[in-house]
Amino acid sequence: MKKFLTNVSVNGVWWFYATIAILLAFPHTAKPQIAIPNPVCYGQPINLFCNLPGCENPGATIIWENSNGSWTSSDRDPVINPGDVGYTSDAFFLSVSYSPPPGGFSGGVTSVVINPQIILTLTPANATSCFADDGIINLMVSGGTPPFMFLWSNNATTQNLLTLYRGVYSVTVTDGHCCQA
């Protein structure tokens, strides 16, 4: 709180008045950030990024926590890898307390969504001879997020392959969140 005294002369009469400025503290409303696209593709690390006031302060106390408290970190910008406790779609809470200068507290929450794993099931039927083009591959996709795009090693873009000669074929499936299998 600061107090300012002011003297004003109006028509030869001196007036004194005081102005009191009150500093109101509003909670910081910025969201902590995720340093990669959200949703996160299954198997990719979750990179959290502290962007709240005080994060850059070397004396800051930083605490990240998931919604059920099974994972915490005091790192400024933690990374959660597949297989780590806390690697799940969740809300991540961030609190930052810091001392002078200027001192204070900020906090926020961000949600991380992990895209479901894309699972591919291939059912081939071999060509009847070396010269026949009657082989097929049926591809079934589960998990992920539709729509799906397909790119086969022979440049086909259909889900299933028909009229195949004997050979080795591979496929890349991309889902609606650009995750691949």
Side-chain angles (χ1 to χ4, degrees):
M1 181 184 312
K2 292 189 178 188
K3 186 175 179 182
F4 301 95
L5 293 175
T6 305
N7 301 337
V8 177
S9 172
V10 178
N11 296 329
V13 178
W14 285 94
W15 297 86
F16 297 93
Y17 64 92
T19 303
I20 299 175
I22 300 172
L23 176 64
L24 298 176
F26 294 98
H28 187 74
T29 57
K31 284 175 66 169
Q33 302 238 329
I34 303 165
I36 59 173
N38 194 15
V40 175
C41 294
Y42 181 87
Q44 296 293 313
I46 300 170
N47 297 293
L48 299 170
F49 175 71
C50 184
N51 66 328
L52 300 180
C55 287
E56 70 287 343
N57 188 322
T61 301
I62 297 172
I63 300 173
W64 287 93
E65 185 174 20
N66 65 349
S67 62
N68 67 9
S70 65
W71 176 86
T72 60
S73 175
S74 59
D75 292 342
R76 180 179 184 271
D77 302 322
V79 176
I80 307 170
N81 291 298
D84 290 351
V85 171
Y87 187 81
T88 182
S89 295
D90 207 341
F92 290 86
F93 301 91
L94 169 64
S95 62
V96 180
S97 58
Y98 49 100
S99 53
F105 173 83
S106 60
V109 63
T110 192
S111 294
V112 174
V113 175
I114 297 176
N115 198 49
Q117 181 178 14
I118 302 170
I119 299 170
L120 306 179
T121 306
L122 296 161
T123 307
N126 290 328
T128 54
S129 74
C130 293
F131 304 106
D133 67 349
D134 57 356
I136 62 170
I137 300 175
N138 289 316
L139 174 62
M140 190 163 137
V141 180
S142 59
T145 303
F148 297 101
M149 293 187 320
F150 307 93
L151 181 59
W152 290 89
S153 55
N154 65 353
N155 290 322
T157 56
T158 58
Q159 182 169 347
N160 301 309
L161 292 182
L162 307 172
T163 64
L164 296 175
Y165 291 99
R166 287 190 179 179
V168 177
Y169 299 88
S170 61
V171 65
T172 300
V173 176
T174 305
D175 77 356
H177 290 299
C178 297
C179 297
Q180 294 185 332

